[in-house]
């Protein structure tokens, strides 16, 4: 007969494996190694737990939203937008970029996040047989309270809305539709993996008393929740604050040190880029670090 201890251990392991489902809306760390140690003591040391720093991306549930398009290329919402990416085409994001309504944009926390979208529930406008598309959040679609939510105020709270470039919209539906119902999703804890070429980029701006770092070309989950910086001499690991969008700031003195960065994504994984800059780095320069796989 199985002992009560083994029964508890089996139950906890099943819960730990099930938690990554998007429907649970919880993080697997809630029932990680520390929780199992607390529940069953030292015998948990012999249990091989899933490694949270290397999650497997898996499809999440489809959610309903709407999409419109804007005229022009990716630069309309890309250059100098709410995420502060300088040139979305030149920075590897291409035309498949999107401006999100406030509910999805979350004050810039969604910058760099990848979404899978598809036209749905509109036989009149949806292009038959068109596969889903992956788009990256690079800007904010601001609300317009003067217009009703269902007639022009597409990005008003609490609507979940995607405003995409006209050439990309045309892959989903005809222009005459104007606005279409779509479905969107992310994977593994509701995230779709972003596939990027090369490493994470760090563009350093500011002055000797105030520093800004634009973090872009982030793979994996794509959206960043934490950035730390470290020098090779006096500067220890220092937490940076989000300034706006993909820009992070600090008043710690960075000049004269070779800098390392630690980026944590929304799936709780982190990537540490050691000594990505020389000691004599310059403002306005972009340096390349290690990316998520």
């Amino acid at each position: 007969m199985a002992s009560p201890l083994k029964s508890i251990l089996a139950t906890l392991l099943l819960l730990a494996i099930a938690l990554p489902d998007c429907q649970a809306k919880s993080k697997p760390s809630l029932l990680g190694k520390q929780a199992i140690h607390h529940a069953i003591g030292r015998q948990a040391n012999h249990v091989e737990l899933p490694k949270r720093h290397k999650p497997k991306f898996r499809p999440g549930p489809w959610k309903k939203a709407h999409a419109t398009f804007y005229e022009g290329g990716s630069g309309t919402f890309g250059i100098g937008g709410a995420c502060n990416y300088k040139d979305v085409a030149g920075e590897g994001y291409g035309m498949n970029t999107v401006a999100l309504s406030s509910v999805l944009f979350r004050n810039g926390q969604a910058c760099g996040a990848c979404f899978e979208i598809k036209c749905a529930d509109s036989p009149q406008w949806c292009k038959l047989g068109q596969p889903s598309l992956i788009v990256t959040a690079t800007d904010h679609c601001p609300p317009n309270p003067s217009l009703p939510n269902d007639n022009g105020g597409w990005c008003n709270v609490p609507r979940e809305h995607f405003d995409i470039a006209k050439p990309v919209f045309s892959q989903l539906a005809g222009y005459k539709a104007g606005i279409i119902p779509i479905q969107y999703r992310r994977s593994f804890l509701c995230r779709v993996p972003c596939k990027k070429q090369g490493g994470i980029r760090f563009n350093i701006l500011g002055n000797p008393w105030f520093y800004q770092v634009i973090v872009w070309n982030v793979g994996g989950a794509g959206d960043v929740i934490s950035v730390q910086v470290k020098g090779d001499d006096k500067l220890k690991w220092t937490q940076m604050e989000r300034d706006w969008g993909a820009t992070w700031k600090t008043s710690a003195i960075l000049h004269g040190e070779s800098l390392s960065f630690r980026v944590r994504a929304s799936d709780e994984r982190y990537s540490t880029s050691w000594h990505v800059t020389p000691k004599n780095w310059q403002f306005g320069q972009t340096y390349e670090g290690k990316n998520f796989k």
Side-chain angles (χ1 to χ4, degrees):
M1 182 174 66
S3 67
L5 183 60
K6 290 183 178 179
S7 299
I8 294 174
L9 175 58
T11 301
L12 287 171
L13 284 174
L14 287 173
L15 286 171
I17 294 172
L19 272 174
D21 189 345
C22 285
Q23 302 282 12
K25 296 190 181 300
S26 300
K27 297 179 180 179
S29 58
L30 296 177
L31 276 175
K33 197 169 184 178
Q34 183 177 359
I36 296 179
H37 278 182
H38 179 74
I40 63 177
R42 295 181 179 177
Q43 291 196 27
N45 288 322
H46 302 292
V47 180
E48 186 174 348
L49 298 175
K51 295 181 179 180
R52 342 181 357 254
H53 63 287
K54 291 184 178 179
K56 292 183 178 179
F57 289 96
R58 61 189 70 182
W62 289 102
K63 298 181 180 180
K64 293 183 178 181
H66 286 82
T68 49
F69 65 87
Y70 56 87
E71 296 287 347
S74 60
T76 306
F77 272 103
I79 299 177
C83 286
N84 202 25
Y85 296 125
K86 300 305 179 184
D87 181 359
V88 293
E91 293 175 1
Y93 294 104
M95 293 290 293
N96 283 34
T97 57
V98 59
L100 299 174
S101 61
S102 298
V103 172
L104 295 172
F105 191 68
R106 295 178 291 119
N107 293 321
Q109 294 182 44
C111 288
C114 292
F115 296 83
E116 184 179 4
I117 62 173
K118 64 180 180 179
C119 187
D121 304 323
S122 183
Q124 179 182 2
W125 300 113
C126 293
K127 292 189 175 180
L128 296 177
Q130 172 61 38
S132 59
L133 302 175
I134 301 296
V135 294
T136 304
T138 59
D139 205 352
H140 177 218
C141 180
N144 189 346
S146 64
L147 295 176
N149 288 6
D150 59 351
N151 187 19
W154 313 125
C155 293
N156 290 349
V157 177
R159 291 181 66 95
E160 297 186 352
H161 192 85
F162 293 71
D163 199 24
I164 55 184
K166 188 175 181 179
V168 179
F169 183 92
S170 67
Q171 297 179 48
L172 299 175
Y175 298 142
K176 292 182 179 180
I179 179 172
I180 57 172
I182 65 168
Q183 291 182 346
Y184 76 93
R185 69 179 178 179
R186 304 189 70 187
S187 299
F188 186 79
L189 294 178
C190 305
R191 293 162 180 83
V192 163
C194 300
K195 297 180 180 180
K196 304 298 179 185
Q197 293 185 352
I200 298 175
R201 307 302 206 279
F202 303 93
N203 181 211
I204 306 177
L205 306 173
N207 57 59
W209 301 275
F210 179 75
Y211 300 82
Q212 293 176 309
V213 179
I214 304 176
V215 182
W216 54 278
N217 200 55
V218 181
D223 44 344
V224 176
I225 62 173
S226 171
V227 176
Q228 293 178 299
V229 61
K230 180 184 182 301
D232 65 338
D233 188 10
K234 297 179 181 179
L235 183 66
K236 307 303 180 184
W237 280 115
T238 300
Q239 181 67 49
M240 303 188 74
E241 298 178 20
R242 189 189 298 274
D243 193 4
W244 58 291
T247 303
W248 297 77
K249 64 182 180 180
T250 183
S251 57
I253 304 301
L254 308 185
H255 239 131
E257 300 205 33
S258 174
L259 302 177
S260 301
F261 293 95
R262 178 167 292 159
V263 175
R264 186 177 295 273
S266 61
D267 59 3
E268 299 297 339
R269 292 194 299 163
Y270 64 85
S271 175
T272 302
S273 300
W274 293 100
H275 309 299
V276 296
T277 75
K279 285 180 176 290
N280 61 342
W281 60 265
Q282 300 295 318
F283 288 110
Q285 296 296 311
T286 298
Y287 301 92
E288 183 173 356
K290 177 183 176 183
N291 216 330
F292 295 95
K293 295 181 179 180

